[in-house]
Amino acid sequence: MKKIVILASGNGTNAQAIIDHFSNNKTIEISLVLSNKPQAYVLERAQKNNIPAMSFNKFAFAKANLLK
């Protein structure tokens, strides 16, 4: 199964379109939604679709060194 992570910072209309598009796909899963804004509505959209979601700040993101 292929997993997709969505990065968004606002209302999440594009994220919702992606979620809807893959909602019945058996080989692709939206596995996480990330936002740099803790109040972004996209996080609520993820929750409503039973997708894990979290926000982060640039300092935590830089410290994680995800691009190794």
Side-chain angles (χ1 to χ4, degrees):
M1 175 172 294
K2 294 186 181 193
K3 295 185 178 189
I4 295 174
V5 174
I6 297 175
L7 300 172
S9 63
N11 190 30
T13 54
N14 288 329
Q16 187 67 57
I18 294 168
I19 291 166
D20 292 344
H21 181 78
F22 292 112
S23 65
N24 293 318
N25 192 307
K26 302 295 182 201
T27 61
I28 297 175
E29 171 190 8
I30 309 299
S31 60
L32 180 64
V33 173
L34 296 172
S35 179
N36 63 327
K37 296 181 180 178
Q39 301 304 320
Y41 187 68
V42 70
L43 299 172
E44 190 171 325
R45 288 181 187 272
Q47 182 182 16
K48 289 179 181 180
N49 287 277
N50 297 315
I51 299 169
M54 63 178 288
S55 65
F56 61 90
N57 64 45
K58 65 182 180 180
F59 303 109
F61 186 76
K63 194 172 187 177
N65 282 322
L66 299 175
L67 300 178
K68 285 185 177 183

